[in-house]
Amino acid sequence: MVKVRFAPSPTGFLHLGSARTALFNWLHARHTGGQFLLRIEDTDKVRSDKKFLDEILEDLKWLGMDWDEEPIYQSQRFDTYREKAEEVLSKEKAYREGDAIIFKVEKGRNIEFEDIIHGNITTNTDTIKDQVMIKSDGSPTYNFSCVLDDISLEITHVLRGDDHISNTPKQILFYEALGYTPPKFGHMPLILGPDGAKLSKRHGGVSVEEYKREGFLPEALANYLILLGWFPGEDQEILSLEEAVKLFDINDMSDVQAKFDIQKLRWLNGEYIMKEKNEDLLPLLKKQLSATKIDTSKFADEYLTKLIDLYKIRMKTLSEFAGLTECFFQDDFKMDEEGKKKYLDKEENVENIRIFANRLEGLEDFSHEKIEKICRDIAEERSLKAAEIIHPTRLAISGKTKGAGLFEMMELLGKEKVLERMRGIQT
Ligand code: GLU
């Protein structure tokens, strides 16, 4: 049975690269009916923090992953690591240096392994120094504890980032010394920023938590991360985790460097937002609105839901919603100055708005169809294009040159607000 693991160090938030590593391990386990395990690599007691661990676990769940057993914690296994190190020591394959235990690396050998993603990788042991197993403070090194735990968890495949390629021959030496066959290894190319350098803070957000806050949907982010390591096929760019589980084959993973393309992620997110049910978007958008200090408590869910209907095709992230819909919650919305010059600083446009407002005054049924009819009638009577009334009116009621369909916006805002705003316009 396939057994894979994800082994985060809780010394920071979940990096996008680590989330991708977790996803591919999870996909491999679920595709093969195997097991996906979590191991918390918290050997660095100073830098490890419960706050990071909680967020990492939450983010993994948020992205749609589940794991098969309770996570194991390396901080609880120091005795085992020491015992095993002493075993190696007793076989004279290691020596003590003060309180540290150090593994002797035999020189002049080639260590070879067949990487699932990169193919054959050979390293000569002349390039490998003797390896610390237990440090003088009693804590194990990453390479040693990793191997011991992968052995005891019976891990069959180790999928991790390229930054660990140089660790793998060292780990293979430990497998040999302990008398075990190493698992299969696959190293995923690092995620690069648009400039070709390793994805880092200066490229924008690097942690899952930042994307969550920005209003990316988990399905979209997971989908995007999967595309950064595997090509499911020409017409298969948008795929759910469920579909990915069916289609995924570890042997198809790509060894090309993955460039992080925020525009593509935004596009995907927009696609997912469009497909999402309004009722599922509602609580998420309320949160976004309250983060920008818009008080939604005075507005009924029905009103918000209609607003979501109007704007869900117009946002790429949920955090854009507040800016797009400001005028639906408050009267002191921002006015687009360019647009104002273009549309509202003109006598004839103000006159058209005045006429339009007067006709709307008598309208009983303030529906978008009826509003539109009046607008088009006025345009015809005055030999104007409807757009010549629509654009200035949109600006008057929303402060924006773009938005949802004007008549739908007016219907939702309601007659009173609309007339008040239209009449507030003077040159
Ligand atoms: N804690 C290591 C990391 O986060 C795990 C590497 C591994 O998967 O072996 O990079």
Side-chain angles (χ1 to χ4, degrees):
M1 178 174 65
V2 164
K3 270 184 139 187
V4 292
R5 80 320 188 263
F6 176 59
S9 309
T11 52
F13 291 117
L14 186 64
H15 188 280
L16 289 179
S18 305
R20 184 190 57 159
T21 298
L23 272 167
F24 279 108
N25 278 290
W26 181 85
L27 282 176
H28 185 46
R30 295 295 171 256
H31 177 75
T32 56
Q35 281 195 334
F36 175 68
L37 306 174
L38 286 190
R39 175 170 75 234
I40 313 305
E41 302 206 326
D42 54 353
T43 54
D44 183 339
K45 289 181 180 160
V46 180
R47 288 174 58 230
S48 295
D49 193 328
K50 172 111 173 40
K51 153 184 110 186
F52 293 129
L53 176 62
D54 291 344
E55 183 70 40
I56 291 170
L57 299 183
E58 195 185 305
D59 290 348
L60 292 174
K61 283 189 225 155
W62 180 73
L63 284 168
M65 287 171 263
D66 54 350
W67 45 94
D68 292 302
E69 279 166 22
E70 283 301 307
I72 71 161
Y73 292 80
Q74 290 195 323
S75 59
Q76 295 168 4
R77 293 172 48 80
F78 279 23
D79 289 347
T80 311
Y81 304 139
R82 168 166 295 280
E83 254 168 52
K84 292 289 175 191
E86 288 185 354
E87 212 178 290
V88 179
L89 194 61
S90 70
K91 291 191 212 159
E92 296 180 357
K93 290 179 175 165
Y95 54 93
R96 281 189 201 276
E97 209 173 82
D99 288 332
I101 305 179
I102 299 168
F103 181 75
K104 273 190 264 187
V105 174
E106 192 190 324
K107 300 292 164 190
R109 287 184 52 201
N110 277 339
I111 306 294
E112 252 184 88
F113 69 97
E114 199 59 30
D115 190 283
I116 298 166
I117 297 165
H118 299 284
N120 181 281
I121 294 180
T122 306
T123 313
N124 192 281
T125 53
D126 287 350
T127 65
I128 304 177
K129 304 190 296 226
D130 284 357
Q131 293 294 304
V132 177
M133 296 190 285
I134 303 291
K135 300 182 211 170
S136 48
D137 67 1
S139 66
T141 55
Y142 153 70
N143 278 321
F144 190 57
S145 53
C146 174
V147 167
L148 291 175
D149 290 343
D150 285 341
I151 290 171
S152 71
L153 294 171
E154 301 175 320
I155 297 303
T156 59
H157 298 73
V158 169
L159 276 179
R160 59 188 169 201
D162 263 2
D163 47 338
H164 286 287
I165 285 192
S166 64
N167 285 321
T168 302
K170 298 168 189 165
Q171 298 190 359
I172 291 173
L173 288 171
F174 286 138
Y175 280 97
E176 276 183 12
L178 294 156
Y180 287 89
T181 312
K184 292 203 166 69
F185 295 98
H187 294 89
M188 276 176 269
L190 298 181
I191 301 180
L192 304 180
D195 57 357
K198 185 178 169 209
L199 186 68
S200 71
K201 268 264 169 262
R202 73 192 156 82
H203 296 116
V206 289
S207 69
V208 169
E209 182 259 348
E210 285 165 275
Y211 287 85
K212 190 200 288 186
R213 214 171 345 114
E214 186 58 33
F216 285 87
L217 294 176
E219 297 83 358
L221 187 57
N223 190 154
Y224 181 67
L225 291 173
I226 287 175
L227 297 181
L228 288 181
W230 171 49
F231 184 59
E234 207 62 65
D235 310 318
Q236 283 285 356
E237 284 212 311
I238 300 183
L239 80 174
S240 65
L241 283 186
E242 217 181 355
E243 289 167 296
V245 164
K246 277 196 209 124
L247 296 172
F248 181 67
D249 184 337
I250 194 170
N251 298 308
D252 294 343
M253 286 188 69
S254 111
D255 68 350
V256 291
Q257 298 283 354
K259 261 210 184 129
F260 186 76
D261 178 353
I262 185 70
Q263 294 314 333
K264 179 142 188 193
L265 172 58
R266 285 170 53 79
W267 166 76
L268 255 179
N269 200 49
E271 296 291 308
Y272 276 92
I273 291 175
M274 266 193 271
K275 283 192 290 186
E276 194 85 350
K277 288 203 200 83
N278 293 346
E279 72 230 49
D280 294 334
L281 289 172
L282 183 65
L284 302 174
L285 289 171
K286 275 188 182 171
K287 220 178 184 179
Q288 289 288 345
L289 290 168
S290 65
T292 59
K293 311 256 173 335
I294 291 179
D295 179 11
T296 55
S297 61
K298 294 187 292 258
F299 299 91
D301 281 357
E302 200 197 333
Y303 181 78
L304 289 164
T305 307
K306 284 188 185 152
L307 196 55
I308 293 172
D309 241 342
L310 291 188
Y311 283 89
K312 72 198 278 192
I313 57 164
R314 291 182 167 78
M315 51 181 154
K316 298 282 179 260
T317 66
L318 301 180
S319 67
E320 290 170 1
F321 187 68
L324 290 169
T325 61
E326 195 193 1
C327 72
F328 289 91
F329 300 102
Q330 51 204 31
D331 293 324
D332 60 342
F333 49 82
K334 269 193 266 4
M335 180 59 78
D336 177 330
E337 286 305 321
E338 286 288 301
K340 182 169 177 291
K341 258 191 235 137
K342 189 164 167 198
Y343 295 118
L344 296 182
D345 292 351
K346 287 199 178 115
E347 189 56 55
E348 64 270 30
N349 288 346
V350 174
E351 173 68 3
N352 290 332
I353 291 175
R354 199 183 53 80
I355 295 168
F356 192 13
N358 287 345
R359 293 267 197 100
L360 291 173
E361 178 91 64
L363 191 61
E364 291 271 307
D365 165 20
F366 206 70
S367 65
H368 64 89
E369 294 95 342
K370 292 276 163 57
I371 302 169
E372 174 162 10
K373 170 94 176 42
I374 291 180
C375 177
R376 301 216 181 266
D377 287 349
I378 298 173
E380 202 178 304
E381 289 159 23
R382 299 176 60 85
S383 307
L384 298 165
K385 287 196 207 102
E388 290 173 85
I389 305 174
I390 291 173
H391 292 309
T393 307
R394 179 182 285 107
L395 210 75
I397 65 161
S398 71
K400 292 189 191 304
T401 53
K402 289 194 202 108
L406 173 70
F407 310 118
E408 283 86 356
M409 288 171 76
M410 293 171 92
E411 176 183 326
L412 186 57
L413 270 170
K415 186 163 154 183
E416 199 184 325
K417 273 261 158 301
V418 165
L419 290 184
E420 190 184 300
R421 289 181 188 176
M422 288 172 84
R423 291 192 163 138
I425 295 299
Q426 275 136 20
T427 44

